Amino acid sequence: MTVTKASRRTDDRVLTFVTRAAALADVRAEVEANHDHNRWWPPTITDPRMRMLAAGWSTRINYRMVDTYAAALARADRLGFDALTDLADDQARDLVAPLGLTEARLTYLYSLADTLARWDKDGTDPAAWDSKTFIAAFARDVRGASYKVAQCAALYARGYHCGIIPVDSGMVTKLAPALGFTLPSGPAAHEHLRLLLEHAVARHTDALRELTADQNVTIPAEAAPTWWTHLTLIYFKRLYLNRPPARLCTRRPTCTTLTDCAHTRT
C-alpha cells in the first residue's frame, strides 16, 4: 500500500469522519441491526451465483419494500439458480414483478447466467481474480451491472469481510462532498471512491477496530473492518445527508464536526 502525503490526509479525513459518525446513536443502531445479518444480502444464501443475483436485484429496494424483496429472494433461493433461469417467462415475471422494474431485473438474471456460463466454459474462475479485475469484468459483461452493482456482487459473493467497500450513487453525490473529495465524472467515480475508502481502512485498521469494540458486531480477527465502515458511512448518509437535519454542520469538510457544532446554532 503506497502512502503519500496526500493519501495520508485523505485517510485521516476518513478516520475522523467515521469516528464521529459511529458515535451517533441512530447510526450505531442501524449498523448493529444490519452488520451480522444484512436484510438486503442475507448470509443464509450460500450459492455465490444467487448472491451475485441478489446484488443486482437489491437495487432500488428501499426500507418500505425490504420485506417484499426478502420474500422474493427467498423464493428464488429455494428454487436454486439453475431452476430459476429455466423458469417459463410468465413464471419468472410473476416472481420478480413485486419488486418492480421487472424487465430490467430479468435481463440482469439472464445476462448473469450467460456470463457465468461463458466464464466457466472459458476456464475462467472469477473467484481467483482480485477485486478490481472482478468488478471491471462484471460491469463490462453483465447487462444492467454498473460499477455499483459489480462492487456489490463482488462483496456479497465473497462475503461481508472480503475487504470491498461498495459505493452507491448517494455516496458519490453526497458523502464524497461531505468528506471533501473530488471524484472523476461518470461511472468511474464509484471505483475511485471505493479505492479511497478501502485505502483508508487498510491504513487505519487498528483505530477503526477500536471503534467497534463496544458495538454488537462480529468481525473476524483476520479481517479489516471494511463491512462495518461501509455500513457506518451508508447509514450516516441515509440518516443525515439524504434529508439533512438541522443538527448537521453545513460547513463540511472545513469543519470536522459532523453534527451539533457552533455552526448548526447560528
Side-chain angles (χ1 to χ4, degrees), residues 10-237:
T10 297
D11 295 343
D12 292 348
R13 188 174 291 177
V14 172
L15 175 62
T16 298
F17 193 102
V18 173
T19 299
R20 295 184 183 278
L24 297 167
D26 47 1
V27 172
R28 172 176 175 158
E30 292 285 8
V31 171
E32 290 183 335
N34 287 282
H35 188 277
D36 291 3
H37 192 294
N38 188 264
R39 297 181 72 189
W40 283 261
W41 305 331
T44 49
I45 292 179
T46 57
D47 184 341
R49 299 173 300 171
M50 288 300 304
R51 288 186 168 205
M52 293 178 204
L53 176 64
W57 279 9
S58 64
T59 59
R60 305 289 183 90
I61 301 295
N62 58 31
Y63 268 76
R64 295 187 300 276
M65 292 180 62
V66 68
D67 289 336
T68 300
Y69 161 78
L73 186 60
R75 181 182 170 194
D77 191 45
R78 286 193 298 270
L79 285 170
F81 190 81
D82 294 322
L84 182 64
T85 58
D86 287 338
L87 286 177
D89 286 349
D90 58 339
Q91 293 175 307
R93 284 187 173 80
D94 285 346
L95 190 153
V96 176
L99 307 182
L101 301 174
T102 301
E103 295 306 318
R105 297 189 196 281
L106 289 179
T107 295
Y108 176 82
L109 165 64
Y110 298 135
S111 181
L112 173 62
D114 289 344
T115 298
L116 293 177
R118 185 171 67 255
W119 287 349
D120 184 62
K121 183 179 179 181
D122 292 342
T124 299
D125 180 11
W129 288 334
D130 61 34
S131 58
K132 185 175 182 179
T133 302
F134 179 99
I135 290 165
F138 200 93
R140 180 190 67 231
D141 293 347
V142 180
R143 290 183 63 190
S146 59
Y147 273 116
K148 175 187 72 173
V149 170
Q151 291 171 358
C152 294
L155 169 83
Y156 190 25
R158 297 178 177 202
Y160 295 158
H161 307 290
C162 66
I164 295 171
I165 298 181
V167 171
D168 70 6
S169 298
M171 292 173 75
V172 168
T173 60
K174 297 179 180 180
L175 184 68
L179 281 162
F181 294 168
T182 300
L183 303 178
S185 60
H190 292 79
E191 276 292 88
H192 189 83
L193 183 55
R194 175 181 75 85
L195 294 173
L196 287 177
L197 296 175
E198 289 175 9
H199 190 283
V201 173
R203 181 162 171 260
H204 288 305
T205 290
D206 291 343
L208 290 165
R209 269 194 165 277
E210 288 181 12
L211 297 178
T212 72
D214 66 342
Q215 292 199 11
N216 186 25
V217 297
T218 304
I219 303 174
E222 71 279 4
T226 47
W227 175 239
W228 177 86
T229 300
H230 163 74
L231 291 177
T232 299
L233 293 172
I234 279 285
Y235 283 109
F236 179 83
K237 174 190 68 83

